[in-house]
């Protein structure tokens, strides 16, 4: 495996290398439902965070509008690769955006110093894509937030074995100005 990989593609390869290779063939061009939804939700959140940095208050209507704009754009750029229940996907996405609004209501947007950071970290055999949705400063502590659109319950063990979190911290330490303390939080939407 040489090249640049997302954490989703690494997880797919880890589950079944053969299936991962089949997914890369011409017949399977496009995104799987969860990958598509994740792009739509995270791009909508990035657009909303840029508005929050400018002092705008985010409400449910503006969040849903950003979601729909992102959905339309992603539909043009990255078609879904398999038949998918789009109505169910839309329902999940709208719930994610409603939860995002709940997370950020009453939050001091002055603390946000960056949003939608992207980079690559070199690892043996290639590079891994890194994406951080928000960077906030709270006193001398840098708080990194990644919003997760995947449904399901996570256990403590899931987070203890999360190599994405560890690699994200490594990338941040090398690419974002230092602070006394760095905290990574995953917000499950």
């Amino acid at each position: 495996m040489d090249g640049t990989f997302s954490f989703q593609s690494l997880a797919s390869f880890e589950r079944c290398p053969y299936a991962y290779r089949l997914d890369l063939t011409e017949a399977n061009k496009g995104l799987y439902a969860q990958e598509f939804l994740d792009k739509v939700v995270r791009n909508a959140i990035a657009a909303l965070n840029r508005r929050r940095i400018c002092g705008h208050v985010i409400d449910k209507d503006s969040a849903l509008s950003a979601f729909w704009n992102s959905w339309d754009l992603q539909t043009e750029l990255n078609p879904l690769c398999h038949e998918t229940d789009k109505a169910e996907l839309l329902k999940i996405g709208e719930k994610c955006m409603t939860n995002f609004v709940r997370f950020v209501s009453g939050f001091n947007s002055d603390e946000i110093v960056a949003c939608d950071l992207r980079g690559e970290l070199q690892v043996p055999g290639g590079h891994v894509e890194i994406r951080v949705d928000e960077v906030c400063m709270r006193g001398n502590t840098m708080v990194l937030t990644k919003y997760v659109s995947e449904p399901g319950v996570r256990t403590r063990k899931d987070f203890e074995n999360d190599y994405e979190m560890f690699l994200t911290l490594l990338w941040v330490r090398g690419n974002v100005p230092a602070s006394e303390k760095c905290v990574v939080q995953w917000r499950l939407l």
Side-chain angles (χ1 to χ4, degrees):
M1 272 182 72
D2 287 329
T4 301
F5 305 97
S6 68
F7 286 103
Q8 289 171 329
S9 64
L10 288 173
S12 174
F13 181 82
E14 189 175 57
R15 279 190 302 277
C16 181
Y18 181 72
Y20 170 80
R21 285 183 179 89
L22 283 177
D23 287 343
L24 295 179
T25 64
E26 286 297 318
N28 287 317
K29 288 274 185 194
L31 300 177
Y32 285 101
Q34 184 54 48
E35 191 177 10
F36 178 85
L37 181 63
D38 191 58
K39 281 185 177 292
V40 169
V41 168
R42 293 180 82 189
N43 288 338
I45 287 173
L48 293 169
N49 277 338
R50 286 189 289 277
R51 295 189 70 219
R52 288 174 60 212
I53 287 172
C54 295
H56 294 270
V57 175
I58 303 303
D59 61 12
K60 184 177 178 181
D61 290 337
S62 61
L64 291 177
S65 176
F67 171 76
W68 281 103
N69 290 339
S70 181
W71 177 277
D72 292 342
L73 180 63
Q74 287 304 316
T75 301
E76 290 176 22
L77 298 175
N78 299 300
L80 290 162
C81 68
H82 296 290
E83 285 299 315
T84 302
D85 182 356
K86 290 183 181 175
E88 182 63 23
L89 210 55
L90 287 168
K91 187 172 144 184
I92 294 168
E94 288 181 341
K95 180 180 177 203
C96 288
M97 298 312 296
T98 301
N99 287 337
F100 171 75
V101 170
R102 188 172 45 84
F103 283 137
V104 301
S105 64
F107 181 84
N108 182 358
S109 61
D110 293 342
E111 295 176 341
I112 301 174
V113 295
C115 64
D116 198 29
L117 292 181
R118 299 173 194 221
E120 291 182 355
L121 180 68
Q122 187 163 351
V123 295
H127 294 85
V128 176
E129 295 174 356
I130 303 290
R131 185 168 180 182
V132 177
D133 295 314
E134 291 174 6
V135 179
C136 299
M137 290 301 295
R138 295 195 181 126
N140 292 328
T141 301
M142 181 186 312
V143 180
L144 310 168
T145 302
K146 177 179 175 182
Y147 290 98
V148 179
S149 63
E150 292 177 48
V153 176
R154 301 264 170 35
T155 66
R156 181 179 179 98
K157 186 174 180 173
D158 292 335
F159 288 106
E160 288 171 353
N161 296 324
D162 188 343
Y163 52 86
E164 182 177 359
M165 188 177 290
F166 175 73
L167 292 176
T168 298
L169 272 171
L170 285 178
W171 180 81
V172 166
R173 283 293 187 194
N175 293 284
V176 179
S179 65
E180 288 183 22
K181 186 176 175 184
C182 186
V183 175
V184 177
Q185 64 181 2
W186 270 208
R187 291 280 188 163
L188 305 178
L189 299 171

